[in-house]
Amino acid sequence: MTMPSARPLWQGRALALVGIVLVAFSLRSAVASLSPVIDHVAADFPVSPVVIGLIGAAPPVCFAIFGLLTPLFERRFGLERMAVAAITLMALGLLLRGFAVDSTTLLAATAVVFAGVGSGNVLLPPLVKKYFPDRLGVMMTIYSTTMAVSTFLPPLVAVPVADSLGWRVSLGMWGLVAGIALVPWVALLLKNGPRSGEPVKTELLVPDPTDGVDDVQDAVAVATGPISTAPANLRVGSRTGAGGWGPRICALSAPVPHLAFRSL
């Protein structure tokens, strides 16, 4: 298998590069931006320990549920469309958290955020492989570094913003960041047309015994493995003489299938 030749990161895929970086940043900032300002939220309306516990348990639950559902929808709608849907969920949930009026609405908005994050976690690696098959090492480094920065940066910013402008602004501003991440992917969909989000269909390279086509050949292939033939040796049997043994040697030198027999 030949590896694709490397080309500059920006060549023909600048939108995908910017989109992947912004999505990677939003995935962790959406999770890390609430805990630092939960005391500011509790000053406006009561947040019970049960709600705090549910908010803490929401990430793994949402990640598991939407991590399982996302591949099913991705096969139908394509990577780009599902990326737009996941980012929309994140942006909407982050904005709604800034407008929460009680602990119930705060919990519901947080669930929407983590639903988008769960889908984004599943979609981002395939997007990297699709747009940067020749730069996987570089892109995974950029991806991991961006997620690390977005993990420790929100707590450093969220509290000062909450002190000066209020916790609603502190939570809602991350929704604007996620909204900016929508722009490259929407632009890619518009640029490439309606077919850009369709799943790529690949042809099977091995026989499929269950497809109902050429079942006899498929059964033989599965039982014996690939069958190869050797070309006839034209030099053997070229000599003819008394007794007519030349044709018999030519017949013996005809191509014979090489089968893999299992020892009994």
Side-chain angles (χ1 to χ4, degrees), residues 126-149:
L127 286 170
V128 172
K129 292 179 181 179
K130 177 178 180 179
Y131 286 95
F132 301 92
D134 55 327
R135 296 283 188 170
L136 287 179
V138 175
M139 284 305 301
M140 294 309 294
T141 301
I142 295 174
Y143 164 73
S144 302
T145 303
T146 303
M147 295 187 75
V149 171

Side-chain angles (χ1 to χ4, degrees), residues 94-184:
L94 290 168
L95 290 174
L96 290 177
R97 276 203 310 201
F99 293 97
V101 295
D102 54 24
S103 59
T104 302
T105 55
L106 180 65
L107 178 60
T110 301
V112 174
V113 173
F114 292 151
V117 174
S119 296
N121 283 332
V122 176
L123 293 170
L124 205 53
L127 286 170
V128 172
K129 292 179 181 179
K130 177 178 180 179
Y131 286 95
F132 301 92
D134 55 327
R135 296 283 188 170
L136 287 179
V138 175
M139 284 305 301
M140 294 309 294
T141 301
I142 295 174
Y143 164 73
S144 302
T145 303
T146 303
M147 295 187 75
V149 171
S150 63
T151 299
F152 72 81
L153 182 61
L156 299 178
V157 177
V159 174
V161 173
D163 291 337
S164 58
L165 301 176
W167 64 268
R168 297 184 185 276
V169 176
S170 179
L171 291 179
M173 67 181 182
W174 304 108
L176 298 177
V177 175
I180 296 173
L182 268 176
V183 176

Side-chain angles (χ1 to χ4, degrees), residues 12-13 15 186-193 196:
R13 47 193 177 175
L15 287 173
V186 173
L188 274 175
L189 286 176
L190 295 177
K191 175 183 177 182
N192 298 331
S196 63

Side-chain angles (χ1 to χ4, degrees), residues 189-205:
L189 286 176
L190 295 177
K191 175 183 177 182
N192 298 331
R195 295 182 59 86
S196 63
E198 294 180 0
V200 178
K201 295 182 180 180
T202 57
E203 184 179 356
L204 289 175
L205 300 179

